[in-house]
Amino acid sequence: MTYSNGVGETVPELKLRVEDSENGDYVKLRGGSGEEEGSSVESSRCSIGSVTSVWFWVKLISLLSCLGVLAFVVIKWIGPFLIEKELIPFINWVRSTFSIPVLGLLLFASVALFPSILLPSSPSMWMAGLTFGYGNGFLLIFSAASIGVTLPFLIGHLFLHKMQEWLKKYPKKAAILRAAGEGTWFHQFQAVTLIRVSPFPYMIYNYCALATGVHYGPYILGSLVGMVPEIFVSIYTGIMLRTLAVASDERHSLSVVEIVVNVLGFCVTASATIVCTIYAKKKLSAMQSEEVETL
């Protein structure tokens, strides 16, 4: 409702609101129409959104600049120093000490046994990629990893009751693990795969999986499928180290084609890994929220 001031102009309504003294006295004055208030709120939201967008790009550009400077320093000084002083002597020592079959057996044993004693097997995967390449390296790591995730699952029988008590003691933290042990066969397979792809400490999950009620079939298949990105990244890392070591040992720089191929390969591998990780984290967060609500 509006009022006229007698000159033909419309004056917006002025509202007065008085609260009871028992609940606290205050007077609220509000002038102007609802459309004007809505437009002002909308303009303020737009300004806040534009500031947030600009700040996001500033942070992104700053982050990329820092990463670029760090990469330049690593490639220009740190990388060649480590390759010449550490990597090349180590590769020469391995090749002079072990034959290819013996080295393959040692790498297979390390990838298969290290997860059971909570030791990382990534260096062994790098060495497998460095020595055997994509084809044979993938077969070696994939077959050894199947044993590496099976042994803790079987050993978990010895700690089954303790693991179940831990899951009951921390229901919210264990919600993501409980979600992997519920539902149909495909649901368990999907949950285990997402856990392997996500940054969740998989060596701990190897021992906790049995306590959640997950079956061995979806556990082993989900584990192997979820580990494929990690295996390819490890093999690619080993091949990159071999390429850099050969170039440094023979005292020649990489050609333009080699640089382009290696950079593109690194970008594709890193991008695929990041996308898979982000997707897995979102799906696991949704499953965890559902499990917490159920609890």
Side-chain angles (χ1 to χ4, degrees):
M1 182 176 179
T2 58
Y3 300 93
S4 176
N5 61 0
V7 190
E9 296 181 356
T10 301
V11 179
E13 177 187 7
L14 183 63
K15 294 183 178 181
L16 175 63
R17 183 180 177 186
V18 180
E19 289 291 335
D20 195 341
S21 60
E22 294 181 358
N23 299 326
D25 297 336
Y26 69 89
V27 177
K28 182 177 181 181
L29 300 177
R30 186 177 63 184
S33 61
E35 296 180 357
E36 293 176 351
E37 292 179 357
S39 62
S40 63
V41 172
E42 186 67 24
S43 61
S44 63
R45 289 179 179 175
C46 292
S47 61
I48 294 174
S50 61
V51 172
T52 304
S53 178
V54 171
W55 180 239
F56 168 78
W57 286 108
V58 169
K59 291 192 295 184
L60 180 61
I61 294 173
S62 302
L63 176 62
L64 294 178
S65 301
C66 293
L67 291 178
V69 172
L70 179 61
F72 177 79
V73 171
V74 171
I75 295 174
K76 186 67 176 178
W77 293 291
I78 300 178
F81 175 79
L82 293 178
I83 290 173
E84 185 176 354
K85 299 299 182 180
E86 301 294 337
L87 182 61
I88 293 177
F90 176 75
I91 293 176
N92 294 333
W93 174 80
V94 169
R95 288 178 176 177
S96 61
T97 305
F98 306 103
S99 62
I100 296 298
V102 174
L103 180 60
L105 182 61
L106 292 176
L107 294 175
F108 182 91
S110 61
V111 175
L113 298 178
F114 279 5
S116 299
I117 54 179
L118 303 180
L119 290 178
S121 55
S122 296
S124 299
M125 295 183 183
W126 300 343
M127 196 64 194
L130 187 150
T131 306
F132 299 101
Y134 279 109
N136 295 330
F138 179 82
L139 293 177
L140 186 150
I141 296 173
F142 194 78
S143 57
S146 62
I147 299 177
V149 298
T150 299
L151 289 178
F153 185 85
L154 299 177
I155 297 173
H157 284 86
L158 302 175
F159 311 98
L160 181 59
H161 297 293
K162 291 184 178 181
M163 292 297 177
Q164 290 175 344
E165 291 177 358
W166 181 84
L167 294 177
K168 293 179 180 178
K169 188 176 180 181
Y170 303 99
K172 291 185 178 181
K173 294 182 179 180
I176 187 174
L177 302 179
R178 290 182 179 275
E182 298 178 351
T184 61
W185 190 97
F186 180 77
H187 174 81
Q188 294 184 359
F189 164 78
Q190 182 185 28
V192 173
T193 303
L194 294 174
I195 290 176
R196 295 297 184 188
V197 176
S198 68
F200 189 86
Y202 68 91
M203 288 187 291
I204 297 177
Y205 176 69
N206 291 340
Y207 286 99
C208 296
L210 185 64
T212 63
V214 64
H215 298 290
Y216 179 73
Y219 168 79
I220 184 65
L221 291 179
S223 298
L224 294 178
V225 172
M227 292 179 66
V228 168
E230 179 189 0
I231 293 175
F232 274 111
V233 170
S234 300
I235 293 175
Y236 178 79
T237 303
I239 293 176
M240 278 290 297
L241 292 175
R242 181 181 63 188
T243 302
L244 295 175
V246 170
S248 178
D249 190 29
E250 296 179 357
R251 303 296 179 180
H252 70 83
S253 58
L254 297 177
S255 64
V256 177
V257 176
E258 290 176 329
I259 294 175
V260 171
V261 170
N262 287 311
V263 170
L264 289 178
F266 174 78
C267 293
V268 171
T269 304
S271 301
T273 304
I274 292 172
V275 169
C276 292
T277 302
I278 293 174
Y279 174 78
K281 288 181 66 176
K282 289 183 177 179
K283 294 289 290 184
L284 286 175
S285 298
M287 295 173 60
Q288 185 177 12
S289 301
E290 295 176 358
E291 182 66 19
V292 170
E293 291 178 359
T294 303
L295 292 174

